[in-house]
């Protein structure tokens, strides 16, 4: 099988400090919002498709998120944060900066809390009741957010390369690697379409991407950030997403399902369904990072490959993945880290 990028090996290095151009943009936003002069700024790892920064201004800390995607202008997230003030950071401001292109931003308070990445996943095992109580408060929110059907429709559209100018040459070329990965995309979509159940599409607000970077733990208990992927669905999808992102393990998974008063068998159905969604996202992301960005976005590619390997065990029930497993793994193995 041909290599992805002419045997290119990706070497990853962190970028803890913003570049000069990023600092310029951040200061322009701070000026636009009358926040004052930024005394320090650092890049925050979030695993999402936007940039995050910790800003210090006049001794006060803020979290700033920046996006170039008009579809992710942080509108829904800011509304959700205002609905659950006890479980999320306070919104300071939201807007757009005209910097050639529009740069959308959301600024919130900086919470005095640690992420699960910092505390370790053991805190979830030790604080199950507190975690479930916090999630139950979120699941009570009654607001017309994105439905599960709308979420899936948008996901299907976003993971289709046809009629997207950036991928026009790729689609026409039809390289062996692209065709293999595209087969996985189509198989995942077919699994989602065939296995969707109306019971999955409840009106319950869920986070949709609980991860080591979106769950914070502090003196006031659990807090939740990064709401741009939220939608309305059955509450068990939050648990399934947490398993895909955090590898909770069968003991903790079973305990949480039992305490939620849900059926373990039904949860396994939900988890298998979400595995198809996860595979779709990961394979599409891999194609995008390798072919469109040519491996330049090192941080994003590393995080994507790590998540893929973390969840291969959940993809085994998808027949196409089982059939192509070794070839798919060989592609991901070409990314060195």
């Amino acid at each position: 099988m041909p290599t992805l990028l002419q045997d290119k090996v990706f070497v990853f290095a962190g970028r803890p400090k913003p570049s000069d151009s990023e600092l310029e943009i951040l200061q322009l936003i701070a000026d636009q919002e009358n926040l004052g002069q930024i005394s320090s700024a650092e890049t925050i790892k979030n695993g999402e498709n936007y940039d995050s920064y910790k800003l210090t201004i006049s001794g006060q800390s803020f979290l700033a998120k920046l996006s170039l995607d008009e579809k992710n202008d942080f509108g829904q997230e800011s509304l959700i944060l205002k609905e659950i003030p006890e479980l999320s950071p306070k919104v300071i401001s939201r807007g757009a900066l005209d910097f050639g292109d529009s740069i959308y931003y959301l600024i919130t308070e900086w919470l005095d809390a640690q992420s699960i990445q910092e505390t370790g996943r053991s805190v979830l095992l030790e604080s199950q009741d507190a975690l479930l109580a916090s999630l139950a408060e979120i699941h009570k929110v009654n607001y017309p957010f994105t439905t599960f059907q709308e979420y899936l429709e948008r996901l299907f559209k976003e993971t289709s390369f046809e009629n997207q100018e950036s991928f026009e040459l790729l689609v026409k070329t039809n390289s062996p690697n692209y065709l293999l990965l595209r087969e996985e995309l189509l198989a995942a979509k077919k699994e989602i379409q065939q296995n969707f159940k109306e019971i999955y599409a409840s009106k319950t607000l869920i986070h949709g991407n609980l991860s080591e970077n979106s769950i914070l733990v502090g003196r006031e208990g659990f807090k939740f950030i990064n709401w741009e992927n939220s939608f309305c669905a059955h509450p068990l999808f939050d648990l399934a997403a947490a398993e895909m992102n955090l590898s909770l393990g069968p003991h903790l998974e079973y305990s949480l399902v039992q305490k939620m008063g849900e059926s373990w068998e039904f949860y396994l159905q939900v988890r298998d369904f979400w595995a198809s969604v996860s595979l779709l996202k990961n394979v599409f992301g891999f194609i995008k990072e390798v072919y469109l960005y040519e491996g330049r976005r090192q941080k994003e590619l590393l995080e994507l490959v790590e998540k893929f390997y973390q969840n291969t065990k959940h993809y085994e029930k998808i027949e196409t993945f089982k059939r192509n497993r070794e070839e798919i793994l060989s592609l991901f193995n070409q990314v060195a880290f």
Side-chain angles (χ1 to χ4, degrees), residues 7-226:
D7 296 318
K8 178 177 179 179
V9 176
F10 301 112
V11 180
F12 294 93
R15 184 170 56 85
K17 293 185 178 180
S19 65
D20 290 341
S21 60
E22 288 174 295
L23 286 173
E24 179 184 1
I25 291 170
L26 290 168
Q27 186 58 62
L28 287 172
I29 291 173
D31 293 341
Q32 185 166 288
E33 296 295 337
N34 297 315
L35 295 176
Q37 185 67 32
I38 298 173
S39 57
S40 67
E42 60 182 282
T43 304
I44 303 299
K45 177 182 176 182
N46 61 28
E48 304 293 345
N49 193 29
Y50 56 80
D51 294 319
S52 296
Y53 308 88
K54 180 181 180 181
L55 308 179
T56 302
I57 302 173
S58 301
Q60 186 175 356
S61 296
F62 302 91
L63 175 67
K65 297 182 178 183
L66 274 60
S67 171
L68 290 172
D69 184 1
E70 185 177 2
K71 296 176 182 177
N72 181 25
D73 63 358
F74 305 112
Q76 176 168 280
E77 179 170 12
S78 64
L79 289 173
I80 292 173
L81 295 183
K82 292 173 183 177
E83 288 285 326
I84 50 172
E86 301 301 319
L87 296 170
S88 65
K90 177 184 176 182
V91 175
I92 304 300
S93 62
R94 168 180 163 260
L97 175 71
D98 186 5
F99 195 78
D101 294 320
S102 292
I103 299 175
Y104 303 95
Y105 60 85
L106 174 67
I107 300 177
T108 67
E109 65 177 337
W110 179 267
L111 293 175
D112 183 20
Q114 290 182 296
S115 68
I116 297 299
Q117 184 181 39
E118 297 168 306
T119 64
R121 285 169 290 182
S122 61
V123 70
L124 300 178
L125 181 63
E126 298 163 357
S127 308
Q128 295 179 49
D129 293 337
L131 174 65
L132 291 178
S134 296
L135 290 176
E137 289 302 309
I138 292 170
H139 297 156
K140 290 178 183 178
V141 173
N142 182 19
Y143 196 88
F145 296 114
T146 304
T147 68
F148 200 11
Q149 293 94 327
E150 290 170 340
Y151 171 83
L152 293 174
E153 289 172 5
R154 185 177 65 196
L155 179 63
F156 275 35
K157 184 176 181 180
E158 291 175 349
T159 53
S160 175
F161 296 119
E162 288 73 14
N163 301 318
Q164 294 193 34
E165 185 177 347
S166 300
F167 282 93
E168 185 177 356
L169 181 60
L170 170 62
V171 175
K172 287 181 178 179
T173 303
N174 282 335
S175 69
N177 288 333
Y178 169 73
L179 292 176
L180 176 65
L181 293 166
R182 183 174 182 273
E183 184 179 6
E184 289 300 316
L185 284 180
L186 296 177
K189 290 182 178 181
K190 184 177 180 180
E191 289 281 331
I192 292 168
Q193 290 172 323
Q194 290 181 338
N195 296 317
F196 180 83
K197 297 180 179 180
E198 287 299 324
I199 194 173
Y200 295 163
S202 71
K203 296 181 179 180
T204 302
L205 173 66
I206 69 168
H207 184 280
N209 194 27
L210 293 177
S211 68
E212 61 183 5
N213 297 309
S214 62
I215 305 176
L216 306 181
V217 186
R219 291 190 299 270
E220 298 179 356
F222 288 99
K223 303 280 186 176
F224 304 90
I225 60 175
N226 301 344

